[in-house]
């Protein structure tokens, strides 16, 4: 085959992106509840592991022993004035991890319930104003 006599021309395919203008008019509260529960559960696990690691580091460095000694020396009474404080129990692993578990469980309940209530409120507001408009574009 012979090359054409004129200058070489190249044809470039024009990239065309499709755009879609949509409105989020309803959010399913059940799916929001499941999603927020899983996310809050993951955050709880991250919090628990972080507290375990931080407690191990601080305990290894002797921070809790130093705080216990400081509190004991500050609260020593003179003549019969005993306060009956036990600061060594405040920083026990069971107590620290127990409070972490309690706070984490409360966070799971609060985040899940507030997200579900937020989805319901969004649905009520979307009925009034039509929802949130978004534009989606397809890229290749």
């Amino acid at each position: 085959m012979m090359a054409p006599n004129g200058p070489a021309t190249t044809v470039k395919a024009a990239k065309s992106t499709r755009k879609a203008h949509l409105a989020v008019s309803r959010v399913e509260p059940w799916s929001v509840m499941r999603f927020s529960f899983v996310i809050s559960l993951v955050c709880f696990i991250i919090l628990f592991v972080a507290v375990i690691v931080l407690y191990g580091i601080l305990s290894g460095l002797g921070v809790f022993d130093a705080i216990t000694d400081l509190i004991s020396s500050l609260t020593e009474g003179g003549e019969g004035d005993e306060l009956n404080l036990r600061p060594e129990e405040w920083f026990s692993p069971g107590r620290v991890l127990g409070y972490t578990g309690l706070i984490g469980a409360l966070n799971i309940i609060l985040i899940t319930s507030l997200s579900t209530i937020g989805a319901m409120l969004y649905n009520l507001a979307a009925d009034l104003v039509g929802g949130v408009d978004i534009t989606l574009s397809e890229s290749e």
Side-chain angles (χ1 to χ4, degrees), residues 6-131:
T9 58
T10 59
V11 178
K12 289 186 179 179
K15 283 189 175 181
S16 64
T17 59
R18 294 187 316 176
K19 290 187 177 182
H21 186 73
L22 303 170
V24 180
S25 60
R26 179 163 168 72
V27 178
E28 188 62 38
W30 179 249
S31 67
V32 170
M33 186 181 78
R34 289 182 300 176
F35 180 77
S36 63
F37 176 74
V38 169
I39 293 298
S40 60
L41 190 64
V42 168
C43 289
F44 169 71
I45 292 170
I46 291 170
L47 172 74
F48 205 74
V49 170
V51 167
I52 289 172
V53 169
L54 189 61
Y55 183 84
I57 291 171
L58 292 176
S59 180
L61 292 173
V63 172
F64 298 126
D65 294 333
I67 292 174
T68 302
D69 292 341
L70 176 68
I71 292 172
S72 296
S73 66
L74 289 175
T75 58
E76 283 180 354
E79 303 162 13
D81 292 337
E82 184 98 15
L83 290 176
N84 206 14
L85 294 175
R86 294 186 301 270
E88 61 274 354
E89 291 179 6
W90 299 349
F91 303 111
S92 68
R95 181 169 280 190
V96 170
L97 295 179
Y99 284 134
T100 302
L102 180 66
I103 290 170
L106 289 175
N107 277 339
I108 289 173
I109 292 169
L110 285 175
I111 290 171
T112 303
S113 60
L114 289 176
S115 298
T116 307
I117 292 170
M120 291 177 189
L121 290 176
Y122 176 82
N123 289 337
L124 289 174
D127 288 341
L128 295 174
V129 296

